Amino acid sequence: QVQLVESGGGLVQAEGSLRLSCAASGRTFNTNTMGWFRQAPGKEREFVAAISWSGSSTYYTDSVKGRFTISRNNANNTVYLQMNSLKPEDTAVYYCAAGKLSAYVNKKYDYWGQGTQVTVSS
């Protein structure tokens, strides 16, 4: 079992920045691929970014490319999402997820955090 706890969300103004953190505990050897998803009110959960175990490979949805950066520190079992140039449409609950190696391409994750709210005001 893997536990994921997100932190760092909050209220920011448009064009501002936030850094989300996701701390993993338990059987962290199962956290090969780490990802971030988000869900806005009334919308389906959508993929945001993914990172391989080594951190050498990353993938982003088009709407956040150039603005968001995913990274990880395996020494403390933490994954980050640096969000710059935030827009009101980025407002959502952001979820951290962990999965097998294959999750990097099939987006099928095994473990999920409870989410952290990000609100961007205009």
Side-chain angles (χ1 to χ4, degrees), residues 2 7 17 19 25-27 32 34 42-43 69 118:
V2 174
S7 62
S17 298
R19 187 184 71 169
S25 61
R27 299 179 177 87
N32 222 298
M34 298 294 295
K43 296 185 177 180
T69 302
V118 172

Side-chain angles (χ1 to χ4, degrees), residues 55-118:
S56 61
S57 298
T58 58
Y59 184 78
Y60 302 90
T61 191
D62 287 343
S63 63
V64 308
K65 287 181 179 177
R67 300 189 298 121
F68 291 11
T69 302
I70 187 171
S71 62
R72 66 191 298 169
N73 185 341
N74 291 338
N76 61 8
N77 299 310
T78 303
V79 63
Y80 306 93
L81 185 68
Q82 178 66 47
M83 305 185 295
N84 299 325
S85 302
L86 284 162
K87 305 174 181 179
E89 50 262 45
D90 294 318
T91 295
V93 176
Y94 283 70
Y95 297 90
C96 177
K100 304 180 182 69
L101 175 65
S102 57
Y104 190 83
V105 293
N106 65 24
K107 296 184 177 64
K108 295 181 179 178
Y109 290 81
D110 301 310
Y111 307 100
W112 296 83
Q114 66 179 4
T116 185
Q117 177 71 47
V118 172

Side-chain angles (χ1 to χ4, degrees), residues 10-50:
L11 174 64
V12 298
Q13 298 181 72
E15 302 176 5
S17 298
L18 278 177
R19 187 184 71 169
L20 305 183
S21 298
C22 174
S25 61
R27 299 179 177 87
T28 55
F29 56 82
N30 290 324
T31 59
N32 222 298
T33 299
M34 298 294 295
W36 286 96
F37 291 73
R38 65 186 181 186
Q39 186 168 24
K43 296 185 177 180
E44 297 291 328
R45 185 175 299 182
E46 68 171 342
F47 169 80
V48 176

